[in-house]
């Protein structure tokens, strides 16, 4: 849903960057185009909506750049009917995009404010297959599993083996793995039997996974 001229220009530049990186799935591009990105970011950052830079959102958190979001969702290879778990709702944008590809998306965050705002934004654009909850996702969401796809927007110090039981056979999880400070490796983990097959797909710099719900916000 690209309406403003600056959005059209930004989206065109975004597509050129994706094609340069070999990310061209038609269904993914259509899902991004159909999801009004400016609805999910503060007004004074609208001109940067389709940039590759992180943008501040509520609760002192940040929204990942469009290129990284696209690369992660492409790596998930979401198929129709898939059940997806997202840990780290943030603005709600990636949940909205994934909802156009999947059967159902569960997205969770430790901040009540982020959860409530994301729910409103997602509902306002007519998407009804996303469940948004305030939840401590450090150990996943056993009560709703198994999932076909899991994406985590915060870093683990080591391979999160506790998630293997929450993935369906041949399910895919994307998670950053590495130290709290500095860069982490973005890993694509595919469930094979009772173990993960790992493929490293990039380098990122995320906050470490936080435990427990936020007390106030």
């Amino acid at each position: 849903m690209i309406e403003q001229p600056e959005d059209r220009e930004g989206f065109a530049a975004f597509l050129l960057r994706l094609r340069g990186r070999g990310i061209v799935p038609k269904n993914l591009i259509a899902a991004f185009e159909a999801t009004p990105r400016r609805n999910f970011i503060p007004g004074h950052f609208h001109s940067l909506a389709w940039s590759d830079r992180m943008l501040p959102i509520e609760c002192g958190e940040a929204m990942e750049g469009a290129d990284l979001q696209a690369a992660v969702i492409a790596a998930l290879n979401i198929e129709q009917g898939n059940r997806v778990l997202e840990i780290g709702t943030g603005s709600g944008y990636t949940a909205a995009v994934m909802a156009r590809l999947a059967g159902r998306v569960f997205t969770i965050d430790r901040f009540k404010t982020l959860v409530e705002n994301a729910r409103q934004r997602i509902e306002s654009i007519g998407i009804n297959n996303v469940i948004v909850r305030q939840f401590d996702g450090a150990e996943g969401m056993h009560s709703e599993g198994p999932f076909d796809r899991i994406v985590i927007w915060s870093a683990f110090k080591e391979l999160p083996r506790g998630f293997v039981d929450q993935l369906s056979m041949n399910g895919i999880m994307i998670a950053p793995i590495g130290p709290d400070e500095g860069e982490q490796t973005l890993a694509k983990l595919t469930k094979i039997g009772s173990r993960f097959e790992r493929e490293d797909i990039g380098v990122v710099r995320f906050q470490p996974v936080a435990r427990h719900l936020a007390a106030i916000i």
Side-chain angles (χ1 to χ4, degrees), residues 84-89 94-95 98 105-108 150-151 153:
V84 178
L85 172 63
E86 177 183 49
I87 299 175
T89 302
T94 47
M98 292 189 294
V105 176
F106 294 81
T107 181
I108 57 180
I150 299 175
V151 57
W153 297 105

Side-chain angles (χ1 to χ4, degrees), residues 143-159:
S143 61
E144 297 292 348
F147 301 97
D148 302 296
R149 304 290 187 268
I150 299 175
V151 57
I152 305 170
W153 297 105
S154 54
F156 290 86
K157 289 184 179 179
E158 37 188 49
L159 192 68

Side-chain angles (χ1 to χ4, degrees), residues 119-138:
R119 183 183 293 118
Q120 292 173 9
R121 291 165 181 152
I122 292 168
E123 290 177 352
S124 73
I125 59 174
I127 291 176
N128 57 19
N129 61 332
V130 176
I131 295 173
V132 191
R133 293 183 185 169
Q134 185 186 21
F135 196 86
D136 177 1

Side-chain angles (χ1 to χ4, degrees), residues 23 26 33 35 39 55 71 80 86 92 94 116 130 149 172 177 179 199 202-203 214:
I23 303 172
K26 290 183 179 179
E33 187 172 16
T35 309
N39 289 30
L55 300 175
Q80 286 186 350
E86 177 183 49
T94 47
E116 292 178 347
V130 176
R149 304 290 187 268
I172 297 170
I177 301 172
E199 175 188 356
V203 175

